[in-house]
Amino acid sequence: MFRPKLPTMPQPTGIVTPPAVIEPTTITPGTPLPPPAAAAPAQVPAPPTVQLTPGTALALVGGGTAVVLVVGAVLVSMLLAVAITGASVAVCAVVLRSLLASQHRR
């Protein structure tokens, strides 16, 4: 009753083909390639230089300012959440202490 019933795997139906036999092949060495001639080193193109126009500089400053403001707002909100949680735990501790102290006086 408490044992699970496992389904049985169905048997394949239809025509089943036997697995193909793979014959090993031999590797014949080819003719070796001649070593490349010592050519002059290819000139590497210089990376493109970044040109800052006043518009792109202003966009970069604006984007950086936005990132700093967003990160600052997130950090300040996290700090406020920790401070409010600490204050509420402190108030709860004071209330519990006063309740326990008044209970011992009775």
Side-chain angles (χ1 to χ4, degrees), residues 4 7 11 18 20-21 25 32-33 35 45 48 58-59 80 89 100 103:
Q11 295 297 323
V21 178
T25 57
L33 294 175
L58 187 62
L80 283 174
V89 168
L100 291 175
Q103 188 178 23

Side-chain angles (χ1 to χ4, degrees), residues 35-84:
Q43 187 176 7
V44 178
T49 58
V50 178
Q51 296 179 354
L52 287 179
T53 62
T56 56
L58 187 62
L60 285 174
V61 169
T65 304
V67 167
V68 167
L69 288 177
V70 168
V71 170
V74 168
L75 291 177
V76 167
S77 65
M78 289 172 63
L79 178 66
L80 283 174
V82 170
I84 290 170

